[in-house]
């Protein structure tokens, strides 16, 4: 399967193909499944798929399934999954084995990760053409409702073309200044530029691969892009060699400088000009080497290890959990965690007006709460389940799923001693394992505002999703160098911010509501960055 990052996919001529089908077949034998299976989707299969080689499902079946989904007007992939499970005959006609029908997660992975953006656009455009033709022919098929473009508005094709143009414009401009701000410690003139190494690193993030194996894959992909049999690209060993030379403190300073520039771009587009909610969280990166190396600390068991690196982050958190990272600091113990909170908030205040700060239960700490109250920062912290919270939950009003207590005492009875008053909230648990969840806040609350706080926390927290997407930008490494680990982590956070910014600008340009699925995927961002790679001339 091809990456096709530099390929413009041809249209499927779907309208003409359906017209030919209707000429050849009896109208009573035509339905959406027959249409989806009769369209020639080979251009997408050949040039529009990037991944899925090890999947038990064929690319052609997946393309037809998602074409069928759009023909039916199924807004959610879950609806497609349910339909295939309920009607194995439909799955069989689309090319699946009825004994092994893909579930929602598999269908979603193919659509969002393995289909390049041009493939998704081509499928959507083909479905729109077919639905319009079916409407014009007044055929009684179970297709989506036909919605003609308003006379004074843009067609869907024009919007998609503008989406591509805006994406390319933002990413090319961002790449230019982002890469120019990162200088690797290379001795004297070398064959490869800093940009060459950063493009390689972006590719490693795209494939979530290790340096050496990823460099070989990068060479193959560049060969397709520049149409050369043996293009010159950096090696994985040379990339790691240059990254080891960084001082970790230098990298955190560099991240702040580059992120400040990225934030200014966001401000130029009118983003974050109102008071914002902030979220502070710890992100752990597993480590499998010597636990006594600098900055390695205990983490919650993850991926077969209880050791790793910890980073505290502060993010602007918008609707539906989408985040823009403003600051990152390393932490190794609870004292550093506590100190990092005020430092991160002060950094954020250099850019935005703080509305309130969300924190997870890892920050449920009496001394930290005292410090936040003294500084005057409004906070909402997920609290640990205590005897007091259990009593508050059990004594809630019968008709309420939220209860609260004003002036609840919070006390640390060991050194360093601390005591304060907070407002405590309890609510129904998020998962079946939790009978209830608890929060503390210094905001004034009523029954109505307590319910709103719980709803906002659930909607805006989104930490697992955000860090999972940020992980889509991160290469893998077995290097024991802390500098390499920090560079990989910070570079992925910068690219994640680029992803957030690109989506915000495209949404703004096309009028896409924030509640809709992001128009640009993480893979789209990395593919577009890689597309600009130009190998050096042969020696």
């Amino acid at each position: 399967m091809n990456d096709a990052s530099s390929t413009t996919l041809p249209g499927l001529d779907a309208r003409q193909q359906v017209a030919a089908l209707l000429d050849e077949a009896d109208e009573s034998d035509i339905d959406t499944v027959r249409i989806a299976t009769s369209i020639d989707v080979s251009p997408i299969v050949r040039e529009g798929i990037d991944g899925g080689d090890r999947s038990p499902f064929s690319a052609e079946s997946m393309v037809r399934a998602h074409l069928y989904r759009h023909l039916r007007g199924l807004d959610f992939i879950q609806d497609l999954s349910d339909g295939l499970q309920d009607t194995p005959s439909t799955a069989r006609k689309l090319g699946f084995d009825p004994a092994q029908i893909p579930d929602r997660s598999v269908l979603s992975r193919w659509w969002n990760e393995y289909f390049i953006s041009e493939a998704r656009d081509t499928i959507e455009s083909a479905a729109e053409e077919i639905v319009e033709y079916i409407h014009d022919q007044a055929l009684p098929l179970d297709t989506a409702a036909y919605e003609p473009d308003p006379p004074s508005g843009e067609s869907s094709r024009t919007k998609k073309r503008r989406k591509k143009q805006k994406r390319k414009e933002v990413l090319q401009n961002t790449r230019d200044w982002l890469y120019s701000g990162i200088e690797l410690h290379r001795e004297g003139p070398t064959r490869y530029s800093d940009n060459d190494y950063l493009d390689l690193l972006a590719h490693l993030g795209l494939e979530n691969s290790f340096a050496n194996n990823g460099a070989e894959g990068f060479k193959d992909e560049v060969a397709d892009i520049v149409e050369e049999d043996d293009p010159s690209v950096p090696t994985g060993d040379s990339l790691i060699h240059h990254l080891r030379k960084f001082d970790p403190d230098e990298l955190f300073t560099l991240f702040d400088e580059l992120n400040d520039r990225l934030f200014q771009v966001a401000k130029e587009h009118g983003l974050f000009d109102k008071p914002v909610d902030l979220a502070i969280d710890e992100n752990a990166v597993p480590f499998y080497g010597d636990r006594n190396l600098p900055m390695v600390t205990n983490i919650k068991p993850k991926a077969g290890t209880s050791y790793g690196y910890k980073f505290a982050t502060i993010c602007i958190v918008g609707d539906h959990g989408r985040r823009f990272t403003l600051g990152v600091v390393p932490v190794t113990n609870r004292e550093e965690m506590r100190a990092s909170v005020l430092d991160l908030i002060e950094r954020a205040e250099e850019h935005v007006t703080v509305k309130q700060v969300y924190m997870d239960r890892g920050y449920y700490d009496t001394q930290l709460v005292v410090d936040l109250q003294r500084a005057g920062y409004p906070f909402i912290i997920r609290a640990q389940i205590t005897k007091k919270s259990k009593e508050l939950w059990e004594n809630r009003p019968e008709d309420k799923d939220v209860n609260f207590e004003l002036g609840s005492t919070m006390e640390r009875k060991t050194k360093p001693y601390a005591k304060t008053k907070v407002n405590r909230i309890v609510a129904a648990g998020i998962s079946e394992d939790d009978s209830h969840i608890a929060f503390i806040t210094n905001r004034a609350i009523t029954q109505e505002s307590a319910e709103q706080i719980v709803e906002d926390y659930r909607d805006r927290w989104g930490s697992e999703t955000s860090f999972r997407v940020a992980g889509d930008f991160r290469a893998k490494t077995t290097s024991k160098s802390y500098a390499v680990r920090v560079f990989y982590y910070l570079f992925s956070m910068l690219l994640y911010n680029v992803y957030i910014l690109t989506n915000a600008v495209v949404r703004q340009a096309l009028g896409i509501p924030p509640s809709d699925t992001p128009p640009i995927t993480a893979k789209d961002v990395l593919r577009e960055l890689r597309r600009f790679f130009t190998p050096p001339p042969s020696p």
Side-chain angles (χ1 to χ4, degrees):
M1 298 180 186
N2 296 324
D3 167 66
S5 62
S6 61
T7 301
T8 300
L9 291 177
L12 297 182
D13 294 326
R15 188 183 182 97
Q16 290 81 352
Q17 292 194 56
V18 173
L21 175 64
L22 292 172
D23 287 341
E24 297 171 0
D26 190 311
E27 182 179 307
S28 62
D29 294 333
I30 304 298
D31 59 14
T32 48
V33 179
R34 177 78 181 273
I35 292 173
T37 56
S38 67
I39 298 296
D40 178 13
V41 297
S42 58
I44 299 177
V45 174
R46 287 195 310 267
E47 304 292 344
I49 309 297
D50 182 16
D53 295 340
R54 298 181 180 179
S55 173
F57 305 103
S58 72
E60 179 178 345
S61 297
M62 283 294 174
V63 172
R64 295 196 186 283
H66 283 288
L67 175 59
Y68 170 74
R69 174 169 69 91
H70 283 86
L71 287 174
R72 289 291 310 279
L74 304 178
D75 292 332
F76 300 103
I77 292 178
Q78 183 66 59
D79 294 334
L80 171 62
S81 175
D82 291 343
L84 296 179
Q85 299 291 339
D86 293 341
T87 316
S89 61
T90 296
R92 178 179 55 77
K93 291 175 183 178
L94 292 171
F96 299 114
D97 180 351
Q100 189 180 23
I101 298 174
D103 61 16
R104 184 208 60 79
S105 63
V106 174
L107 291 164
S108 177
R109 188 178 306 117
W110 274 86
W111 179 256
N112 291 307
E113 297 184 21
Y114 300 158
F115 289 11
I116 66 173
S117 62
E118 288 83 357
R120 296 193 296 271
D121 290 344
T122 300
I123 291 171
E124 291 172 355
S125 296
E128 289 171 3
E129 286 183 25
I130 294 170
V131 169
E132 180 180 0
Y133 182 75
I134 295 300
H135 174 269
D136 291 345
Q137 300 300 311
L139 297 176
L141 301 184
D142 55 342
T143 57
Y146 172 58
E147 298 179 1
D149 295 313
S152 60
E154 289 183 319
S155 70
S156 60
R157 292 183 188 178
T158 300
K159 284 186 177 181
K160 288 170 184 174
R161 185 169 59 251
R162 286 216 296 138
K163 181 181 80 171
K164 293 180 185 178
Q165 292 171 342
K166 181 59 69 173
R167 177 186 69 194
K168 183 174 182 179
E169 173 190 329
V170 173
L171 290 175
Q172 187 162 16
N173 290 339
T174 300
R175 178 186 183 275
D176 289 345
W177 65 255
L178 178 63
Y179 282 18
S180 67
I182 302 176
E183 294 184 8
L184 303 183
H185 297 302
R186 295 179 292 120
E187 301 89 351
T190 60
R191 183 176 185 189
Y192 300 105
S193 68
D194 290 345
N195 285 10
D196 296 336
Y197 286 104
L198 296 176
D199 280 329
L200 170 58
L201 189 54
H203 173 82
L204 299 182
L206 174 63
E207 301 296 336
N208 289 130
S209 60
F210 295 95
N212 286 331
N213 291 340
E216 289 299 315
F218 184 49
K219 186 173 184 177
D220 293 339
E221 302 298 351
V222 170
D224 289 339
I225 294 172
V226 301
E227 298 182 353
E228 293 182 11
D229 292 335
D230 189 26
S232 180
V233 301
T235 66
D237 284 340
S238 61
L239 170 67
I240 298 298
H241 171 72
H242 293 307
L243 297 187
R244 282 199 191 105
K245 300 174 188 175
F246 277 101
D247 177 86
D249 291 338
E250 174 190 6
L251 290 174
F252 285 103
T253 300
L254 178 62
F255 171 84
D256 289 339
E257 293 173 351
L258 292 172
N259 208 44
D260 287 349
R261 293 176 65 182
L262 188 59
F263 188 82
Q264 290 307 311
V265 175
K267 294 285 283 186
E268 290 168 6
H269 284 87
L271 304 174
F272 314 132
D273 55 353
K274 297 178 181 179
V276 299
D277 292 334
L278 300 176
I280 296 177
D281 196 18
E282 276 186 0
N283 185 218
V285 178
F287 181 70
Y288 300 92
D290 184 354
R291 69 184 68 175
N292 297 312
L293 288 174
M295 304 305 292
V296 175
T297 187
N298 294 322
I299 64 172
K300 292 181 180 178
K302 182 178 181 181
T305 181
S306 297
Y307 299 95
Y309 300 107
K310 282 184 181 178
F311 302 95
T313 63
I314 188 164
C315 311
I316 298 172
V317 56
D319 294 332
H320 312 285
R322 297 191 180 104
R323 297 180 170 212
F324 186 98
T325 303
L326 290 175
V328 179
V329 295
V331 292
T332 59
N333 54 55
R334 195 160 190 81
E335 288 70 29
E336 289 181 357
M337 176 276 290
R338 189 184 301 124
S340 72
V341 170
L342 295 182
D343 177 48
L344 287 170
I345 297 175
E346 289 172 0
R347 292 190 194 187
E349 284 188 312
E350 296 175 3
H351 299 291
V352 297
T353 301
V354 179
K355 185 178 178 182
Q356 58 196 358
V357 184
Y358 293 94
M359 284 172 271
D360 205 358
R361 52 189 160 195
Y363 292 87
Y364 183 75
D365 180 276
T366 304
Q367 185 57 56
L368 173 59
V369 169
V370 171
D371 293 342
L372 289 167
Q373 289 173 324
R374 287 173 178 168
Y377 293 125
F379 62 81
I380 299 168
I381 301 176
R382 174 99 177 257
Q384 296 174 4
I385 300 300
T386 63
K387 180 180 178 181
K388 185 175 297 186
S389 71
K390 290 179 181 178
E391 292 175 351
L392 190 59
W393 175 245
E394 291 170 356
N395 295 324
R396 69 190 184 280
E398 291 185 1
D399 60 339
K400 300 293 184 182
D401 285 333
V402 174
N403 199 12
F404 68 97
E405 178 184 42
L406 302 177
S408 178
T409 300
M410 187 176 180
E411 183 176 8
R412 179 186 175 92
K413 296 182 179 180
T414 58
K415 293 182 179 180
Y417 303 111
K419 186 176 182 179
T420 188
K421 298 283 187 179
V422 294
N423 296 328
R424 194 177 299 269
I425 303 171
V426 293
I430 297 175
S431 68
E432 295 180 357
D433 296 333
D434 300 321
S435 64
H436 71 282
I437 54 176
F439 304 91
I440 57 171
T441 181
N442 58 347
R443 286 177 46 183
I445 55 174
T446 61
Q447 180 67 40
E448 182 178 358
S449 64
E451 293 173 358
Q452 189 63 51
I453 284 173
V454 173
E455 182 179 342
D456 289 346
Y457 188 95
R458 287 172 170 165
D459 180 54
R460 292 178 180 272
W461 187 241
S463 60
E464 290 186 2
T465 298
S466 295
F467 286 122
R468 179 185 60 77
V469 176
D472 287 344
F473 295 103
R474 193 176 309 142
K476 294 179 180 179
T477 182
T478 57
S479 174
K480 297 179 181 179
S481 166
Y482 183 53
V484 172
R485 298 271 179 162
V486 170
F487 194 102
Y488 272 31
Y489 182 83
L490 295 180
F491 191 67
S492 71
M493 296 306 293
L494 282 170
L495 291 180
Y496 177 72
N497 277 355
V498 170
Y499 159 78
I500 292 295
L501 175 61
T502 304
N503 272 292
V505 172
V506 171
R507 287 179 188 278
Q508 187 181 71
L510 301 185
I512 300 174
S515 58
D516 284 6
T517 301
I520 309 298
T521 68
K523 300 298 186 184
D524 290 337
V525 170
L526 290 169
R527 288 190 188 101
E528 196 72 43
L529 290 174
R530 186 182 61 188
R531 181 181 299 187
F532 304 124
F533 177 83
T534 302
S538 300

